[in-house]
Amino acid sequence: MTDQPHANEPPVWDTAHRRAAPAPPPPGALTGGIHFAGVLMTLNGILAIFQGIAAIAEDDVYARIGSYVYEINLTGWGVIMLVLGVVALFTGWGILKAAGWARPAGIVLASLSLIAQFLFLPYAPLWAMILIAIDFFVIWALATQYPQHQRV
């Protein structure tokens, strides 16, 4: 019973096992989520470029559908996908270079791409669903990860 601390004595804490807090990343450094979003945005841009080229070059690549509310000529869809792809490629590059304009532009562009892929679902359902998932993860990563120097 004598080994136990008495009620009027403060406890002694051993601080030797504690580690120092990790240093914050330097300004302009990419966190894991932002790096992930930049790579996915670049990949999405490349895939959309290929999708647009395929729709422009050969209308037989995609299935013919009957009546569709948002029906556009496949060449029109190809131009839309090609433009979105090129802009997404440059935005992904900007995200990877930690450009200040790239994060909000990436969120807006991934949202537009998600809507375009939703409208493209009847032409290539599996492909559109894959690109919708990529767009969702890009939006999530860009909207939830904040560098240390930008936190409020």
Side-chain angles (χ1 to χ4, degrees):
M1 293 287 245
T2 59
D3 293 298
Q4 305 219 352
H6 298 289
N8 57 359
E9 293 180 17
V12 178
W13 300 101
D14 181 19
T15 59
H17 67 282
R18 294 185 184 177
R19 293 185 206 162
L30 296 176
T31 61
I34 297 172
H35 192 80
F36 175 69
V39 170
L40 280 182
M41 179 69 85
T42 304
L43 175 68
N44 190 9
I46 292 169
L47 293 176
I49 289 170
F50 288 147
Q51 184 180 14
I53 290 171
I56 291 170
E58 193 68 42
D59 283 350
D60 296 334
V61 172
Y62 295 108
R64 301 269 186 225
I65 58 173
S67 178
Y68 178 48
V69 176
Y70 306 109
E71 187 175 353
I72 299 177
N73 183 345
L74 278 175
T75 304
W77 274 119
V79 170
I80 291 170
M81 295 301 171
L82 186 62
V83 169
L84 280 174
V86 169
V87 176
L89 182 65
F90 284 117
T91 304
W93 176 78
I95 291 169
L96 291 174
K97 293 293 185 182
W101 57 269
R103 288 187 55 166
I107 292 172
V108 169
L109 189 61
S111 300
L112 290 174
S113 176
L114 191 143
I115 293 168
Q117 292 300 331
F118 175 77
L119 297 176
F120 199 73
L121 269 171
Y123 296 102
L126 183 60
W127 184 260
M129 290 301 293
I130 290 169
L131 291 180
I132 286 172
I134 290 174
D135 289 330
F136 174 79
F137 285 120
V138 167
I139 294 167
W140 172 79
L142 290 176
T144 59
Q145 299 290 322
Y146 296 100
Q148 186 69 23
H149 65 281
Q150 290 182 356
R151 291 191 185 198
V152 177

